[in-house]
């Protein structure tokens, strides 16, 4: 089961990512734009997710994903670390959120970041 240190290690391995404390919790930013937080007791993460996709995620896997009340109006979803299969799934979740926040120059420099390997 991935934990807070895995979140930190994987997030900081993504290009141009920094960690900053905000709202008394670690936040992870790409080129200054937040893409993940490690809230409360560090048993979950909040990541960017388009609203139409997050509703489907929550319905499909409510034990893994949920929407925090104060984040409902924003394009964010919470992910329970204990519900993730492994570090690979955590990396996929973080990389997807990173791609949503990253500027075009980074997306162009890392076009396959976080995408499934081609067969």
């Amino acid at each position: 089961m991935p934990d807070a240190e895995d979140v930190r290690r994987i997030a900081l391995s993504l290009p141009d990512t920094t960690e900053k404390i905000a709202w008394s919790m670690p936040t992870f930013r790409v080129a200054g734009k937040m893409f993940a937080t490690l809230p409360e007791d560090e048993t979950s993460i909040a990541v960017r997710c388009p609203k139409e996709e997050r509703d489907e995620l929550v319905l499909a896997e409510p034990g893994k994903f949920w929407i925090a009340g104060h984040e409902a109006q924003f394009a964010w979803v919470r992910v329970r670390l204990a519900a993730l299969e492994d570090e690979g799934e955590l990396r996929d979740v973080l990389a997807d959120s990173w791609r949503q926040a990253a500027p075009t120059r980074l997306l162009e420099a890392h076009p396959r970041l976080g995408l499934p390997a081609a067969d």
Side-chain angles (χ1 to χ4, degrees):
M1 164 182 80
D3 62 19
E5 287 309 309
D6 296 322
V7 170
R8 181 170 281 109
R9 178 177 46 78
I10 293 169
L12 291 173
S13 76
L14 297 169
D16 205 14
T17 294
T18 57
E19 180 176 351
K20 179 180 178 182
I21 300 298
W23 306 288
S24 301
M25 72 179 114
T27 66
F28 300 92
R29 298 159 189 259
V30 56
K33 192 170 182 181
M34 192 165 41
F35 72 92
T37 68
L38 193 56
E40 291 92 33
D41 60 2
E42 299 186 344
T43 62
S44 68
I45 56 174
V47 293
R48 291 177 172 270
C49 184
K51 286 183 181 181
E52 52 283 349
E53 290 180 28
R54 78 173 181 183
D55 293 340
E56 290 179 26
L57 282 174
V58 170
L59 286 173
E61 296 185 79
K64 187 179 292 186
F65 301 101
W66 88 98
I67 301 166
H70 67 281
E71 295 167 347
Q73 65 197 18
F74 304 106
W76 288 79
V77 67
R78 294 283 182 103
V79 185
R80 289 177 180 85
L81 294 175
L84 293 174
E85 292 176 25
D86 54 26
E87 283 188 28
E89 187 176 20
L90 174 60
R91 180 169 177 74
D92 290 346
V93 167
L94 288 169
D96 185 57
S97 187
W98 180 91
R99 282 193 306 275
Q100 292 175 59
T104 303
R105 69 176 170 80
L106 285 174
L107 295 173
E108 289 173 352
H110 304 279
R112 299 208 37 85
L113 181 69
L115 299 177
D119 291 334

